[in-house]
């Protein structure tokens, strides 16, 4: 349960005053806080230095971007600061070949032409420090907006690994693997208070503190947010007097909280995240009563993860164990023909625990070998649907826990001074799903300033407990015989250093997705998931980035993609994506950055073609404006473009109007470290 708006508003105001007083009363010379080592100043790096940024998610250990067996993009903490990224979705929207869709309930991220409405990123694997963020009920990644449990200023870097990753990570790692690496207590710095305000009544406050407990170092951060949302929204499908002429008033508000903590002690790292949010839905799943503020959904996502790493017998041993919790509750009001109102609720509860053990060693007869075993045990995978009124009725109540076990191996071998081979294989077993085998191979050739990567991988996605067992007899039918989806991907990547200032990257790829899980209406009118689809895609991506001059940082990219299913072009799949981002210093105290994104037309589930979208964002951020204060100001959709995104909620509405021009102001107060 969430406290009422008045309680949250009062709590945030009191918390802001108390934390501000704590900052003012705290010693400004930092004598009570041991200074942590300063992170690298990426704003002053040469291209050679930038190319040495390490990525650790592509092969389960740190390596350079050129050595990684995939096409990789890294978003650094400096990028997040300078470009003003405030959500994970906003950061990923800047990445070559990625695009973001918003149905006003969740944001989703498309990559390489795939972001089918209603899929909710079940074909992307998103992790926090290697911890899988997908739940055990839907198998979705629902956290690209404000609901993402980790605040953006706590992130050290975001690693975007394109292509299949199932050979290492198993289910869902089909089109990309995204790993969010958080800052260590030393990197996070001293006590910091952040306060945000902006369009649509946005309010947010966050406090972060670091310190020591004996030989252990800790970081703890908490935040709360609340906004009234954009109002009104116009839906022509509901343009009748009974429906307020299609105007949804005060129907996009949201509120929530985040708590995150890490503890580093000797060989151990422990992290915990607790988050929740509640949203009012202007359009919900099914024909709910229009303009009814009772239509809303609530999400909670919590986890605790402990990992251990040390050198043993000439190799590196890593062990982690974790506990996860997921809760979803949907509330929808439906009108009966006699004027009565049906108060319907849907709840999904998931609890699970797991462990993973890996060992990386170099035996005399091979390259670097990584062996791994991973297991998950569901405690609950609970699905319910019931009416509260006009009469209590239970339509569905079932618990379908699963147990999974996986073993994998990876071999990285230098064939010669210029050639490297990376191969891997993983076997996944499940209590009630068929087994899956996921191979991958990467051949890398590095002559002088050129790098060539020839990549192949097979990935899979297990049907979720929701798709297998959700059958309420009203709108959905269960199908426990579903098979996993699988995809085969081929890719060629070329990278070239252009002097000491610029870098060129090009990729060509193709994938074939088999046994795609598609919702199919049965003769009785119920929707049932079936292995009924096939998707094919080809594309080319080009990017140039670097510093053309000492004062200008710039990245330009262009992607051409064609994604089709058995009926034609895939919905919500733009054929062309173009992006330009730049940052320049304004004196010694400020940085100005801008981002331009173009997306070509997309089609909706109803076959309507939407117009192309061109968005421009600008951000002004200070650098040590005052000894204890910085400011960040941002403008989004600066030219106030009116556009809509394809969605899959109510069958009567297949597009969602998106926000016009918005702004934000962020104040960052921090205790000065010595």
């Amino acid at each position: 349960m969430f406290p009422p708006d008045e309680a949250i508003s009062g709590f945030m105001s009191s918390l802001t005053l108390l934390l501000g007083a704590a900052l003012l009363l705290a010693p400004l010379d930092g004598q009570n806080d041991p200074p942590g080592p300063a992170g690298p100043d990426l704003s002053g790096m040469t291209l050679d230095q930038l190319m040495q940024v390490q990525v650790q998610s592509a092969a389960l250990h740190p390596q350079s971007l050129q050595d990684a067996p995939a096409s990789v993009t890294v978003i650094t903490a400096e990028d997040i600061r300078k470009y003003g990224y405030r959500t994970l979705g906003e950061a990923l929207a800047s990445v070559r070949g990625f695009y973001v869709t918003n149905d006003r309930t969740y944001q989703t991220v498309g990559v390489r032409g795939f972001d089918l409405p209603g899929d909710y990123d079940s074909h992307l694997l998103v992790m926090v420090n290697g911890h899988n963020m997908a739940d055990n009920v839907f198998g979705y990644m629902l956290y690209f907006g404000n609901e993402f449990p980790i605040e953006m200023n706590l992130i050290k870097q975001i690693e975007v690994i394109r292509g299949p990753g199932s050979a290492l990570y198993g289910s869902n790692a089909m089109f990309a693997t995204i790993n969010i690496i958080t800052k260590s207590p030393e990197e996070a710095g001293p006590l910091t208070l952040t306060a945000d305000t902006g369009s649509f009544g946005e309010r947010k406050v966050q406090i972060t503190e670091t310190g020591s407990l004996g030989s252990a170092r800790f970081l703890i951060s908490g935040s709360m947010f609340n906004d009234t949302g954009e109002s009104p929204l116009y839906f022509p499908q509901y343009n009748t007097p009974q429906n307020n002429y299609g105007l949804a008033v005060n129907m996009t508000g949201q509120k929530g909280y985040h708590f995150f903590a890490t503890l580093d002690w000797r060989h151990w790292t422990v992290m915990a995240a607790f988050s929740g949010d509640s949203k009012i839905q202007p359009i919900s799943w099914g024909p709910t009563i229009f303009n009814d503020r009772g239509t809303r959904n609530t999400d909670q996502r919590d986890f605790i993860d402990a990992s251990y790493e040390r050198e043993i017998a000439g190799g590196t041993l890593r062990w982690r164990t974790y506990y996860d919790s997921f809760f979803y509750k949907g509330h929808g009001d439906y009108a009966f023909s006699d004027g009565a109102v049906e108060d319907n609720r849907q709840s999904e509860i998931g609890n699970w625990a797991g462990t993973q053990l890996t060992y990386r060693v170099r035996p005399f007869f091979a390259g670097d070998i990584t062996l791994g075993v991973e297991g998950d045990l569901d405690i609950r995978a609970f699905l319910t649907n019931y009416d509260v009124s006009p009469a209590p009725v239970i339509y569905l109540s079932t618990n379908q826990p699963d147990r999974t076990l996986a073993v994998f191996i990876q071999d990285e071998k230098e064939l010669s001074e210029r050639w490297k081979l990376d191969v891997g294989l993983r076997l996944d077993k499940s209590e009630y799903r068929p087994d899956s085998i996921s191979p991958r191979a990467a051949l890398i050739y590095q002559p002088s300033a050129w790098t060539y990567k020839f990549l192949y991988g097979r990935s899979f996605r297990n049907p979720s407990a929701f798709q297998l067992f959700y059958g309420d007899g009203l709108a959905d039918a269960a199908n426990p015989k579903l098979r996993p989806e699988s995809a085969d991907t081929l890719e060629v990547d070329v990278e070239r250093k252009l002097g000491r200032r610029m870098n060129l990257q090009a990729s060509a790829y193709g994938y074939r997705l088999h046994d795609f899980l598609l919702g199919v209406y049965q003769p009785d009118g119920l929707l049932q998931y079936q292995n009924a689809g096939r998707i094919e895609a080809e594309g080319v991506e080009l990017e140039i980035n670097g510093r053309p001059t000492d004062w200008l940082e710039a990245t330009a990219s262009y992607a051409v993609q064609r994604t089709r299913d058995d009926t034609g072009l895939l919905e919500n799949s733009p054929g062309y994506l173009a992006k330009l981002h730049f940052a320049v210093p304004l004196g010694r105290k400020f940085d100005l950055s801008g981002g331009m994104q173009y997306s070509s037309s997309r089609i909706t589930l109803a076959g309507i073609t939407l117009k192309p979208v061109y968005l421009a964002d600008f951000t002004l951020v200070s650098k040590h404006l005052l000894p204890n204060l910085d400011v960040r100001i941002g403008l989004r959709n600066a030219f106030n473009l009116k556009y809509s995104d394809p969605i899959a909620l109510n069958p009567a509405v297949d597009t969602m109007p998106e926000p016009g021009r918005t702004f934000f102001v962020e104040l960052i107060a921090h205790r000065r470290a010595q």
Side-chain angles (χ1 to χ4, degrees):
M1 295 291 294
F2 285 82
D5 291 346
E6 295 81 3
I8 284 187
S9 178
F11 179 83
M12 292 176 66
S13 300
S14 302
L15 183 62
T16 302
L17 292 174
L18 289 173
L19 296 180
L23 285 169
L24 292 174
L25 295 174
L28 297 182
D29 58 4
Q31 292 178 358
N32 293 343
D33 292 276
D41 182 8
L42 299 180
S43 61
M45 284 186 174
T46 66
L47 179 63
D48 287 338
Q49 291 171 320
L50 283 172
M51 295 303 290
Q52 297 308 311
V53 173
Q54 298 275 290
V55 58
Q56 61 188 46
S57 310
L60 295 179
H61 65 88
Q63 57 188 166
S64 69
L65 300 181
Q66 294 91 341
D67 291 335
S71 175
V72 179
T73 295
V74 174
I75 303 172
T76 66
E78 175 66 10
D79 295 327
I80 294 171
R81 182 197 73 86
K82 188 177 298 183
Y83 290 95
Y85 301 140
R86 297 194 302 153
T87 66
L88 179 59
E90 198 171 67
L92 293 174
S94 69
V95 175
R96 162 173 45 98
F98 280 64
Y99 57 103
V100 175
T101 301
N102 185 2
D103 67 6
R104 302 282 185 158
T105 300
Y106 300 109
Q107 291 186 26
T108 61
V109 171
V111 57
R112 294 188 165 175
F114 187 92
D115 189 14
L116 195 65
D119 182 73
Y120 292 110
D121 290 307
S122 61
H123 296 78
L124 295 181
L125 177 67
V126 178
M127 304 181 293
V128 174
N129 297 323
H131 185 97
N132 190 347
M133 290 302 297
D135 63 83
N136 71 330
V137 177
F138 295 106
Y140 291 155
M141 168 59 191
L142 302 174
Y143 315 107
F144 289 108
N146 286 327
E147 64 280 337
F148 185 63
I150 313 301
E151 294 292 345
M152 296 298 289
N153 56 15
L154 300 178
I155 295 175
K156 177 181 179 180
Q157 64 185 42
I158 302 171
E159 300 179 353
V160 180
I161 318 297
R162 295 173 181 81
S166 293
L168 290 178
Y169 298 110
S171 180
N172 299 73
M174 300 191 76
F175 300 140
T177 300
I178 301 164
N179 193 19
I180 291 88
I181 310 296
T182 60
K183 296 176 181 177
S184 68
E186 290 81 4
E187 293 164 333
L191 177 67
T192 302
L193 172 67
T194 304
D196 290 57
T197 187
S199 301
F200 312 136
E202 177 183 351
R203 292 168 292 171
K204 185 176 184 180
V205 62
Q206 177 196 1
I207 184 170
T208 302
E209 176 65 302
T210 60
S212 300
L213 295 173
S215 61
R217 292 283 296 172
F218 71 85
L219 176 154
I220 186 169
S221 177
S223 62
M224 300 185 71
F225 63 90
N226 192 355
D227 65 76
T228 56
E230 184 178 5
S231 179
L233 290 181
Y234 175 62
F235 296 91
Q237 299 88 343
Y238 289 96
N239 189 1
T240 64
Q242 297 82 3
N243 289 312
N244 195 32
Y245 298 98
L247 295 176
V249 180
N250 298 326
M251 289 292 294
T252 59
Q254 61 175 327
K255 54 189 175 183
Y257 65 90
H258 301 148
F259 175 83
F260 180 72
T262 61
L263 178 70
D264 293 339
W265 179 69
R266 297 183 180 177
H267 300 287
W268 287 92
T269 298
V270 181
M271 64 174 175
F274 303 92
S275 65
D277 73 280
S278 178
K279 299 187 185 78
I280 302 172
Q281 296 178 280
I283 300 295
S284 186
W285 296 277
T288 55
I289 298 175
F290 183 74
N291 211 22
D292 177 13
R293 286 176 54 83
T295 301
R296 62 178 64 218
N297 67 291
T298 300
D299 291 278
Q300 290 179 235
R301 182 71 171 88
D302 310 323
F303 68 84
I304 299 175
D305 184 297
S307 60
Y308 176 86
E309 179 178 342
R310 68 175 302 173
E311 302 298 314
I312 296 179
T316 302
L317 177 72
R318 292 188 179 92
W319 175 64
R320 74 188 313 149
T321 186
Y322 46 87
Y323 171 80
D324 285 73
S325 175
F326 166 77
F327 171 76
Y328 168 83
K329 184 176 182 178
H331 176 194
D333 291 333
Y334 299 82
F336 285 152
S337 57
D338 61 1
V341 175
E342 176 190 17
D343 182 346
N344 181 259
R345 311 289 176 93
Q346 177 183 336
S347 295
E348 275 72 48
I349 304 174
N351 306 97
W352 66 102
T355 188
Q356 183 190 73
L357 181 68
T358 66
Y359 185 61
R360 182 170 181 259
V361 68
R362 173 171 287 194
F364 70 91
F365 56 86
D368 291 317
I369 299 290
T370 300
L371 301 171
V373 59
E374 182 177 4
D376 281 331
L377 174 65
D378 285 350
I379 301 168
R380 281 192 300 181
F382 193 52
L383 307 169
T384 63
N385 186 298
Y386 58 96
D387 279 352
V388 174
S389 63
V393 180
I394 297 176
Y395 300 106
L396 173 70
S397 179
T398 182
N399 185 27
Q400 299 290 341
D402 191 17
R403 293 181 294 177
T404 64
L405 179 67
V407 293
F408 59 90
I409 183 172
Q410 175 182 256
D411 185 7
E412 304 166 82
K413 185 174 181 60
E414 293 185 3
L415 303 178
S416 68
E417 183 179 351
R418 297 183 175 181
W419 288 92
K420 176 184 174 182
L421 179 64
D422 186 318
V423 295
L425 184 69
R426 173 168 167 140
L427 170 64
D428 283 83
K429 301 184 71 68
S430 165
E431 181 80 6
Y432 52 63
R433 302 177 178 97
D435 298 348
S436 293
I437 298 177
S438 306
R440 83 166 182 181
L443 184 62
I444 302 175
Y445 178 51
Q446 295 176 313
S448 62
W450 292 88
T451 298
Y452 300 89
K453 300 179 182 180
F454 306 93
L455 311 171
Y456 165 76
R458 173 173 294 173
S459 55
F460 76 98
R461 176 213 167 195
N462 275 325
S464 67
F466 179 84
Q467 292 171 320
L468 287 162
F469 304 114
Y470 191 89
D472 56 16
L474 298 174
D476 298 273
N479 187 358
K481 297 182 179 180
L482 290 175
R483 304 182 302 276
E485 301 174 347
S486 64
D488 292 285
T489 304
L490 288 171
E491 183 173 347
V492 177
D493 291 301
V494 180
E495 300 179 13
R496 164 72 176 177
K497 295 180 182 178
L498 304 176
R500 295 181 57 84
R501 291 184 176 273
M502 303 297 293
N503 186 58
L504 176 68
Q505 297 172 291
S507 302
Y509 65 88
Y511 65 80
R512 302 291 184 272
L513 195 160
H514 309 280
D515 288 330
F516 179 64
L517 295 171
L518 187 66
V520 177
Y521 282 100
Q522 303 302 294
D524 57 7
L526 298 181
L527 183 70
Q528 182 185 63
Y529 283 96
Q530 298 181 6
N531 294 106
R534 182 181 66 176
I535 294 175
E536 300 181 353
E538 299 85 27
V540 176
E541 300 170 347
L542 183 67
E543 178 178 323
I544 184 168
N545 57 65
R547 290 190 170 85
T549 67
D550 291 336
W551 54 269
L552 174 62
E553 168 190 310
T555 299
S557 67
Y558 189 69
V560 180
Q561 50 200 25
R562 291 291 182 271
T563 307
R564 305 172 299 277
D565 61 10
D566 294 333
T567 61
L569 290 177
L570 201 65
E571 294 83 358
N572 195 27
S573 180
Y576 305 94
L577 294 171
K579 302 182 181 183
L580 172 65
H581 297 86
F582 66 88
V584 296
L586 294 181
R588 301 180 59 184
K589 291 289 188 179
F590 290 93
D591 288 316
L592 174 66
S593 66
M596 286 75 174
Q597 302 180 33
Y598 168 82
S599 173
S600 64
S601 61
R602 297 166 290 170
I603 60 175
T604 70
L605 292 176
I608 299 172
T609 300
L610 301 181
K611 66 181 182 180
V613 176
Y614 172 78
L615 300 176
D617 302 333
F618 298 98
T619 303
L620 181 69
V621 57
S622 70
K623 298 180 293 185
H624 312 298
L625 180 63
L626 296 175
N628 298 85
L629 183 69
D630 275 304
V631 63
R632 192 163 58 170
I633 303 171
L635 194 63
R636 300 294 181 256
N637 191 2
F639 301 133
N640 200 30
L641 179 74
K642 304 301 182 183
Y643 71 102
S644 297
D645 282 341
I647 64 171
L649 295 172
N650 188 324
V653 181
D654 67 342
T655 62
M656 179 64 67
E658 298 304 316
R661 183 187 299 115
T662 61
F663 77 94
F664 71 88
V665 178
E666 181 179 79
L667 298 178
I668 307 105
H670 46 82
R671 183 192 299 161
R672 183 173 55 184
Q674 193 174 27

